[in-house]
Amino acid sequence: MKVKVHVREKTFVVTCGDGEQKAEWLAHVGIVRYDDKTKINVGAPLGLRLEAGDAVPLQARIRDLFGADSEVWVVLKEDVTENLGATLPET
């Protein structure tokens, strides 16, 4: 099973085997690949969303959420602050 993971302007095809991993794993794989390719640290993922904007439950198994060649977008801190027009509290 393969899933396309979008991080900012980049897209990475992630091979997920039989999809036993949690969706959260996809977000982290996308971030690591983005950081490695661009040498830009974008921080930890806040979540995943579908193209329509629907949130993906991070604790669900990939195989229960997606079919072959599905696509997801990693949600970053900057995405939340841009879309809400608000500032997140510092952690």
Side-chain angles (χ1 to χ4, degrees):
M1 164 179 236
K2 295 180 182 179
V3 177
K4 291 180 183 174
V5 179
H6 300 269
V7 181
R8 289 186 169 170
E9 74 286 351
K10 302 286 184 197
T11 302
F12 305 96
V13 177
V14 178
T15 302
C16 306
D18 60 3
E20 284 293 316
Q21 306 92 326
K22 293 180 180 179
E24 181 178 31
W25 175 83
L26 273 178
H28 287 285
V29 170
I31 291 294
V32 168
R33 290 190 183 179
Y34 184 88
D35 289 352
D36 286 349
K37 184 167 184 75
T38 64
K39 307 300 184 213
I40 298 171
N41 183 341
V42 294
L46 295 183
L48 285 173
R49 67 172 180 82
L50 301 175
E51 186 171 16
D54 300 326
V56 172
L58 296 178
Q59 297 307 310
R61 289 185 197 175
I62 294 168
R63 70 174 185 193
D64 296 335
L65 296 171
F66 309 115
D69 300 319
S70 293
E71 297 187 48
V72 295
W73 283 257
V74 175
V75 178
L76 303 170
K77 181 178 179 179
E78 66 193 44
D79 299 327
V80 173
T81 57
E82 286 174 8
N83 290 331
L84 296 179
T87 302
L88 293 176
E90 293 296 320
T91 55

